[in-house]
Amino acid sequence: HRGLNVHITKDQVYKTFAKAKVLIQGNYKEQYKRMWDYCDELLRSNPGSTIHIETEIDELSGKERFQRLYICFAALKKGFKAGCRAVVGVDGCHLRGPHPGVLLTAVGIDTNDCIYPIAYAVVEVENKNSWMWFIDFLKFDLSIHEQSKWTFISD
């Protein structure tokens, strides 16, 4: 401040920092528009994967808005079915930042007693509806038909 004889307020610093962040990281709205491109690329480069994206129509603007995303890679499905126990751990983690949500994960235990990732999803809130949505996709991907042979662990 003294060397350059410049007086900057905290508000000016905050606004400049926000502009610089948009220049470096891009606009969130623009990034969300690319979700479909991301999903298409995942399916192209990982054939047999399950990628499901859901959107909703914003009542005010009438535009499509991101709601949920489920991802289970084909290699992880195949590996889990081939060499893991019928034990699945599920958990949710709240996301912080300008766009809140919840990261839901499913992991297994491999033959070395190590954690084996299976699938993950980003949902709007952690409630019964979002968990059932996630579990239904997981059951389909793991071909869970006879539930009595499986153990699900959660907190």
Side-chain angles (χ1 to χ4, degrees):
H1 288 265
R2 290 184 189 127
L4 298 173
N5 196 23
V6 176
H7 301 285
I8 302 172
T9 65
K10 286 184 180 180
D11 190 48
Q12 289 172 321
V13 171
Y14 177 78
K15 288 179 181 178
T16 304
F17 180 76
K19 287 179 182 179
K21 194 172 178 183
V22 167
L23 287 173
I24 294 168
Q25 296 178 351
N27 186 326
Y28 283 106
K29 290 180 182 178
E30 294 300 319
Q31 290 179 18
Y32 275 109
K33 287 180 185 175
R34 307 244 10 233
M35 288 293 291
W36 288 264
D37 296 337
Y38 174 67
C39 292
D40 290 342
E41 180 59 26
L42 287 179
L43 287 172
R44 186 196 66 73
S45 60
N46 300 281
S49 298
T50 303
I51 314 283
H52 185 78
I53 188 168
E54 282 189 13
T55 59
E56 62 184 5
I57 302 298
D58 189 333
E59 295 174 5
L60 298 174
S61 67
K63 293 182 180 179
E64 203 171 27
R65 188 170 69 185
F66 172 79
Q67 185 180 15
R68 297 174 172 175
L69 173 66
Y70 173 88
I71 297 176
C72 181
F73 295 112
L76 295 177
K77 282 192 272 191
K78 184 178 177 183
F80 181 83
K81 291 176 184 179
C84 291
R85 300 182 179 134
V87 176
V88 177
V90 292
D91 200 6
C93 172
H94 292 274
L95 302 173
R96 301 189 188 274
H99 301 284
V102 179
L103 176 67
L104 304 179
T105 58
V107 297
I109 299 174
D110 66 12
T111 53
N112 291 326
D113 288 331
C114 294
I115 294 173
Y116 186 89
I118 302 170
Y120 64 95
V122 176
V123 297
E124 67 283 7
V125 293
E126 186 176 16
N127 58 22
K128 185 176 180 180
N129 184 34
S130 61
W131 271 112
M132 290 304 296
W133 177 84
F134 179 68
I135 296 296
D136 285 343
F137 276 108
L138 192 60
K139 284 171 49 178
F140 174 79
D141 281 333
L142 301 182
S143 304
I144 298 175
H145 303 294
E146 194 174 332
Q147 296 178 12
S148 62
K149 295 182 178 182
W150 289 82
T151 302
F152 279 76
I153 302 170
S154 73
D155 63 347

